[in-house]
Amino acid sequence: MTTPYHHGALPAALLQAAEAILEREGIGALTMRGAAREAGVSHAAPSHHFGDLSGLLTALAASGFVRLREHVETEVAVAEPGRSAHLTALGRGYIGFARASPALFQLMFRSERLDWSNPVLSTAGAAAFSFLTLRETEGAVPIASHGIQSLMTATARWSLMHGLAMLLIDGRLGAMSDRVPGADVDTLIEHVLTCLVRQEM
């Protein structure tokens, strides 16, 4: 039996269902029919709202970028005053999101599965990555409005944060920390984020 949803709530319910499948079984198991079944709606419902699987994945990735931005902003908001704490908070927010939603995080960077010409995705992605330009006393500014130096800084930040997040998702950090007595993944993450701070101080 299908579940009745208000028309405006159905897309959100389908995205939630799609993410549940993604995190539980991986992207290979995510289909339009599977998302409909998970949400308890008719098989035609996802096509009506998202067109095809690429449209569903694109919408799901867009929601992920919105949440990534919110995750980073939350960490920055509670950080102690000072540039060091601010930069560490940026990294904690990025990596924290990746740890909380690893399959969604990986989908967000699977460009071959996503339609980046979709304005919802391109806008959400740009807004999320503007956090790379966040300064302690200013809001985020679109990267395109900065000069080459700011672009280099943003790229360095992203390289470190994203590389660390991917190593964590792939289980590589655990394998490394296991080789060092007294070390754990969280301690290793904090030390790597300290490197981010030092390179900018």
Side-chain angles (χ1 to χ4, degrees), residues 143-168:
I143 291 175
S145 68
H146 288 265
I148 185 64
Q149 187 60 48
S150 292
L151 177 60
M152 290 168 59
T153 297
T155 301
R157 289 179 180 178
W158 186 28
S159 298
L160 189 148
M161 294 175 194
H162 191 75
L164 186 57
M166 292 304 298
L167 287 171
L168 182 61

Side-chain angles (χ1 to χ4, degrees), residues 9 18 91 134:
L134 275 170

Side-chain angles (χ1 to χ4, degrees), residues 86 93 115 140 158:
H86 174 81
D115 177 11
W158 186 28

